Amino acid sequence: MEVIRSQKRTASNDVVSNPKIPLYLTAPPLEVRLEEFELFAIDRLRVLKGVSDGLARGKNPKEMDDVVDALWKEHMRHSDASEMLNKDIISHFVIRLVYCRSDELKKWFLSMETALFRHRFRLRNFEAQRAIVGEFGLPYKAVTGAELESLKERLGQVVRSLGQISPSVVNDICCVSVCFFSFLSFAVEAVYYKVPFEEVPDLVAGRRVLIQKGHAFVAGSQLVSLVVTQFRSHISKALILTNRKWMTTIREREKDRLTPIVEALSTTYVGPDYSQSSEYADISLKDIDQVSKSSFPLCMRHLFEKLREDHHLKHGGRMQLGLFLKGVGLKLDDALAFWRAEFSKKVGSERFDKEYAYGIRHNYGKEGKRTDYTPYACQKIISSAPGAGDHHGCPYRHFSEDNLRAALGRMGLSSRGMEDVMDKVRNKHFQLACTLTFEAVYGTSCDVGINHPNQYFEESQKILKSKTPAAPV
Amino acid sequence: MVREEAERRGDDTMIDAPQITNPKPEDFFNVHYLRIYYGNLFPYTDIHKWLSYGHDGKHPGCDEYYFGRREFSFTLENDVYLRYKSFKSVSSLEHAIKSCFPYKIDIGAVYSVDPDKRHAYSQTGTNVFTPVERELVFDIDITDYDDVRYCCSGADVCSKCWPLMTVAIKVIHTSLKEDFGFKHILWVFSGRRGVHCWVCDPKARRMTNEQRSAVAEYFRVYKGNENNARKVALMGYSLHPFLARSYVDFLKGFFEGELQANQSIFSTKDKYDKILEMISDEDIQSELREKWEKSANRSSLSEEAISLVRWDQLKNTLQSKKHKAPTLRMCVEEIVFTFAYPRIDLEVSKQMNHLLKAPFCVHPKTGRVCVPIDPNNCDEFDPLAVPTLSQLIEEINSGGSKMDVDDDDDDDDTDTSILGKSIKFFRSSFLEPLLKSCKEEIESLYKTKIGKSKDSFSW
């Protein structure tokens, strides 16, 4: 069953009806609107991050095929095939510009684009695959005639050496797929390509090809290895060239237009943005203290406690906590009341109105350019740089070990749990540390992983409300 | 005592050949022997010619800086380790070695810039310090076979287990030539208990780490550690042609012949239990175990004969029962591969920047010279007959060899000294064909370049 499925997909999805996968060889001579520049890129980033996620979870190739198919449909689909192709090409080149700028970004981009390509290729039927191979302009010919004859026996050996039956199937007495598999696995394929063995390292490593005098004989069904190697090599070189162009001309030339967008995109968070609070996040002032103890992540708890303690927070802290509270469901009027109550104990309510109220209204999109600012995601918080007197940032990153341990202790972590968390911290896996804390505090596992403080809050509220539906939490 | 005598004689080339009754390590290997060896016997010119790959400056297409970009490392007495050494010429290499007489000399990669000047270049941009060329290398060490040899263990090696290395050379060498099409392959004795392989074709030298890894994995069959009993798992319905050829041409015969004769792998319960555990069917295991326990004391046959009988019984039993489960399908082959198939050290092969001991070095623990091995005659190679430093010095004293092996004049053919033979072999079977092919490549690349620039002038 499995073998058939990958070869023949029904036409109900766009993937087959639009068989072309662009190779991104040259930048397209297309016109792009500035908004599309950013939006297309964000959609593609969602796909790439989904791929990254899938790989990190150790999904097998077949599962990854499905992941990619779903991601592509969700973020990149367009009813017009040529529009879809344009978006595909444009978004790739924008992201390439964004991710060419450092070694770490380059490596990530290369891995994810290659994986994306690999699975999109696998989802195509054989004809489409051959067409794509053709586009690479590889000088490799199909093996024919006498040469093919002389190799047939050994090619058959290779095919048979790969014909595996998984242990679970062995115990099935009448297993249809076994028959299919055996039937298919013993057939020497119709088309083989003669390529230098260096072009297909993964096939060589797995002894999945016949090799003779430096040539590997790649079956039609193994073409993906060949093209992926080509694709990766091409993108790798392209990244270096793009970086050079960026550094020498583009960055300066575009400093008022594209450069800010490009620089922001590399840290773009692509999950839900929590700018509209959900049903779980509608808190009122009277509940806020209790909620801060029960559902706030450590970063926000710390800021909140410091605010209560010092009756003041510096700008970074006000932004981080303020936007978080907005995401949590604090309405503008309540927010103003909340901050005034605290700040006036230190600076007086007049000064608050004069110097701080404007900022809060600004956060809610009521002033200036009226952007409704979104609460910060972990990525942004972790990469911030709290200075003297600041309390924002990510405690897992920015606290000393002793302070962090004390804070975790106050959250109720056992010493065992604390060690696990500290271990993650030492390895610089700050979000994993927060996730472990979440799991320890609520006694549940969090497979998705925490990457946004508001996510932490919402998940926590879900758990607490499911335990005591009526009582306020 | 030796030093005093030398000083008395005023001639530092005459040192008494040691009378070794109770040999101590320093009798095999010590700084004085090293001085003589590196002073007079080490083939600097040949090594330099090899590693220059034809870039000797005589052709306009030569890269005269090529040799200077090669990394060497020296290990001195007291384990002082000096990396990133590089030399512009054979004389600076020779001078450096003769000024510190290293215990060990390793050869690394050819880099983008002279290793000893690497700090002068920034780590970003276009002029990064990075490996550019490096031979494809393999390291096979007999200690990796300790679970299947009963005569020795650890650092020891003898004529009963050395054949494991011989069959490894045959399998790998054949594959390198037939499957990968490589032509310039040098096999070298590692000095004590293993062999190294240097594949020097231009294509091989330019392989990326990923490609090297792929070749290493292609050769990898044994996946063993103490946690698994079945260390070789041959899946599928047949062997890959490479494995099939290795099995038929080398492994089967070796296993059923020499290996059984030397190791008698079925003769005692401990030994055959290990093999029975590789059979994934409990019933078959018990059946054979019972049979052999019964016949244990009653047989008048030799150990070797008993082993062969039992092997036959095992084969017959498996043959008749192999349809029981897919994991039994190639159980016989799995057992043969477990004992006889090469076990290479993957890490050595995978990365370009890995350093490997230079040929014609001397092994500090044995005093033996790392001489080349002829892959076409590797059955004849005896690790215990390899020249040692003390033998070489003895030979010099008795006037049996030329002092200066470094001359490459016509007298070479008359050099019948023990080291001379090895050097001659190195030259004729490896170096000369290699240099010929390198020069051809330099010539043709140069012609292409000239041709291109000529074209650019055409109107």
Side-chain angles (χ1 to χ4, degrees), chain A residues 24 44-45 48 91-100 102-116 231 235-236 238-239 242:
Chain A
Y24 317 109
R44 193 186 192 87
L45 260 184
L48 293 178
S91 62
H92 170 93
F93 278 94
V94 174
I95 307 274
R96 191 196 287 187
L97 194 58
V98 175
Y99 278 74
C100 71
S102 84
D103 281 342
E104 209 185 300
L105 293 173
K106 271 194 271 193
K107 203 167 143 195
W108 188 87
F109 178 75
L110 188 62
S111 296
M112 297 312 135
E113 280 285 339
T114 304
L116 177 63
F231 182 83
I235 298 286
S236 175
L239 276 169
T242 309

Side-chain angles (χ1 to χ4, degrees), chain B residues 120-162:
Chain B
Y121 295 85
S122 68
Q123 279 306 300
T124 53
T126 47
N127 228 2
V128 175
F129 175 68
T130 188
V132 165
E133 278 190 20
R134 205 269 193 277
E135 295 75 9
L136 175 63
V137 294
F138 298 96
D139 178 359
I140 308 177
D141 188 321
I142 210 160
T143 49
D144 289 338
Y145 292 74
D146 278 356
D147 60 313
V148 293
R149 55 173 185 153
Y150 297 108
C151 48
C152 309
S153 72
D156 298 324
V157 72
C158 72
S159 57
K160 288 190 171 189
C161 52
W162 181 260

Side-chain angles (χ1 to χ4, degrees), chain A residues 167-187:
Chain A
S168 56
V169 168
V170 166
N171 299 320
D172 278 337
I173 296 170
C174 62
C175 189
V176 173
S177 60
V178 170
C179 295
F180 270 135
F181 213 88
S182 318
F183 171 78
L184 286 165
S185 69
F186 288 168

